[in-house]
Amino acid sequence: MLVLSVAALTALFVVTRIPLGDTLVYRAEGQAVVNGTSLYDFVTTEWKLPATYPPFAAILFVPTTWLPVTAMKVCFFVGNLALLAVLVRLSWRFAGLPKRPEWILAATAFAIWLEPVFQTFVYGQINLALACLVLWDLSRPKGAPGKGVALGIAAGIKLTPAIFIVYLLVTGRVRNGLTALASFAGTVLFGILVLPSASLDFWTRRMFETSRVGKVWIVDNQSLQGLLARAMNSMEPGLVWLAGAAVVGVAGLWIARRAVRAGQEEWGIVAVALTMLLVSPISWSHHWVWCVPLLALLLAEGRYRLAGVLAVVFTARSFWVFPHQGDTDIAYGLWAQPALSPYPLLGLVLLGWLARRRWPRRRTGIVPRAEGAQQTAPAEHPAPARRAPAPRRPDAPAPVTPESEK
């Protein structure tokens, strides 16, 4: 299954000559670093795409300039295949599913065709790498050395994973959260040292320019803001979105904290991932690769029908069916929103389900059983049973009871 799936994907890319547009943007960012040119003033590809990531990410993209364009695209394609296999394996272990290699291979073969994963291949994106960094770090034991560093690096590459740092802090893992925060700060400092002018430009101006990333109202944007813009037939949902994002953000972190307290940290992490995707101003459909650990958790709980329904939703590509040239994305009525905005609607429903769920108290599968457990002192040896008195002969005198025991 996996060989056939990879062969079909490869043939599709070769025949249709899929351009991997975002990979070309990464290369242009790396080239700007090498040449010492402005990082945030260029546009590239036929879609005129600008750089949108922090300077630290641009520094990491420098190796993309060492290869010819075709070789670089092949490396991204093969690298994303490897990262998908890693994400499936991490999700499998994260959910506590049985260690059956054939099942993991079959799951990887299927996951290729999930729309968020497939679009990550199409654009040559780094979503799988970021998800692997975050999931690997958060699924390590609490006392693991350097826990939080990988999360901080992921936030330094792309800002949205920083919500997981807040998650660690509000759920009481202060040490891990501060480690992640220090790691993130280290990426910012490294960017300042290497690219001081670009860092000043990004952290004071560019990071607030949502329009640089893209149009919030197009169907590609599967965030809460995209949902509201299309439902309201408005290009700028404004205060409605800000209020909604604030409510969802607080509710999502509360749900995650409640899940962790019940020993269900796996669901806490997924709740934060859904919250991140909803409250981000723009969450392109390929950002939703977190559907992989979500499906793994549902399978682990034996919710096969629900997992099947979600797999269909994440494979259907319903929003690509609608014509969306120009501003037609906001020309449809409420009747079309389930098909135009399936991911944010699904995310809201899942958060509502988790909020109402009665959590069975159990120890999370992330932290080893010995981790954090209270050491109970050995029970005291029970006092020896009082020896029964020997039977008294009929002619023996009665025992004298001391006055103190009368």
Side-chain angles (χ1 to χ4, degrees):
M1 287 176 62
L2 183 57
V3 169
L4 290 174
S5 192
V6 171
L9 182 67
T10 305
L12 181 63
F13 270 58
V14 172
V15 172
T16 59
R17 297 184 179 181
I18 294 178
L20 281 76
D22 286 340
T23 301
L24 298 176
V25 178
Y26 302 151
R27 180 184 176 87
E29 292 184 38
Q31 198 67 55
V33 175
V34 173
N35 297 336
T37 56
S38 177
L39 182 58
Y40 298 108
D41 288 328
F42 73 82
V43 290
T44 186
T45 74
E46 60 183 285
W47 302 281
K48 301 187 182 305
L49 301 174
T52 59
Y53 293 172
F56 175 71
I59 298 169
L60 296 182
F61 295 146
V62 168
T64 61
T65 65
W66 301 344
L67 296 172
V69 173
T70 301
M72 180 199 63
K73 289 182 178 180
V74 171
C75 288
F76 262 79
F77 180 80
V78 175
N80 271 330
L81 279 173
L83 287 168
L84 176 60
V86 171
L87 181 60
V88 171
R89 180 66 184 89
L90 285 172
S91 302
W92 211 265
R93 185 181 66 182
F94 167 78
L97 288 165
K99 295 180 180 179
R100 297 287 296 275
E102 63 273 21
W103 291 2
I104 297 174
L105 293 175
T108 305
F110 168 73
I112 288 174
W113 305 104
L114 294 169
E115 191 272 344
V117 175
F118 181 80
Q119 292 301 119
T120 295
F121 283 105
V122 168
Y123 297 127
Q125 260 283 347
I126 58 172
N127 306 301
L128 293 170
L130 296 176
C132 286
L133 280 173
V134 173
L135 190 59
W136 173 78
D137 203 351
L138 291 178
S139 60
R140 300 171 68 205
K142 290 181 182 178
K147 181 178 172 67
V149 172
L151 171 57
I153 292 174
I157 296 172
K158 189 173 184 177
L159 297 179
T160 49
I163 191 174
F164 286 100
I165 301 177
V166 181
Y167 158 74
L168 288 175
L169 295 175
V170 300
T171 53
R173 272 76 60 84
V174 177
R175 180 179 179 182
N176 299 148
L178 292 178
T179 300
L181 189 60
S183 176
F184 171 66
T187 66
V188 176
L189 179 61
F190 184 68
I192 292 174
L193 293 175
V194 178
L195 300 170
S197 60
S199 297
L200 180 64
D201 189 17
F202 179 82
W203 295 109
T204 60
R205 184 161 64 104
R206 304 295 187 177
M207 68 175 292
F208 304 105
E209 296 177 353
T210 306
S211 59
R212 288 181 60 82
V213 183
K215 301 178 179 66
V216 299
W217 41 269
I218 61 177
V219 294
D220 312 49
N221 181 19
Q222 292 289 306
S223 71
L224 179 64
Q225 183 170 209
L227 164 66
L228 292 174
R230 291 185 291 272
M232 296 167 58
N233 302 121
S234 170
M235 294 183 181
E236 293 292 340
L239 293 177
V240 175
W241 167 69
L242 289 174
V247 171
V248 171
V250 172
L253 290 171
W254 172 78
I255 292 167
R257 188 168 183 264
R258 181 168 168 261
V260 170
R261 285 188 168 186
Q264 303 271 350
E265 186 170 2
E266 299 88 350
W267 278 113
I269 293 171
V270 168
V272 176
L274 293 173
T275 304
M276 171 187 70
L277 295 165
L278 286 168
V279 303
S280 175
I282 291 182
S283 291
W284 302 129
S285 67
H286 50 80
H287 293 171
W288 286 78
V289 293
W290 282 90
C291 63
V292 175
L294 168 62
L295 291 172
L297 273 182
L298 292 174
L299 291 175
E301 288 192 349
R303 301 179 185 275
Y304 304 122
R305 291 183 180 178
L306 181 57
V309 171
L310 265 61
V312 170
V313 171
F314 282 113
T315 310
R317 297 162 169 78
S318 59
F319 47 92
W320 296 118
V321 176
F322 288 79
H324 50 276
Q325 289 78 23
D327 60 354
T328 54
D329 305 63
I330 56 174
Y332 301 99
L334 291 177
W335 61 270
Q337 299 314 310
L340 287 171
S341 307
Y343 300 169
L345 287 172
L346 180 61
L348 292 172
V349 170
L350 286 173
L351 285 180
W353 173 61
L354 292 174
R356 293 175 56 86
R357 183 173 177 178
R358 297 178 65 87
W359 296 104
R361 181 78 192 182
R362 70 170 177 81
R363 188 181 300 277
T364 177
I366 292 177
V367 182
R369 187 168 294 276
E371 178 81 11
Q374 294 290 334
Q375 296 292 331
T376 55
E380 296 287 341
H381 292 292
R386 180 170 294 181
R387 192 173 180 179
R392 183 166 56 89
R393 297 195 314 272
D395 56 345
V400 179
T401 303
E403 191 68 26
S404 61
E405 293 185 9
K406 288 184 180 180

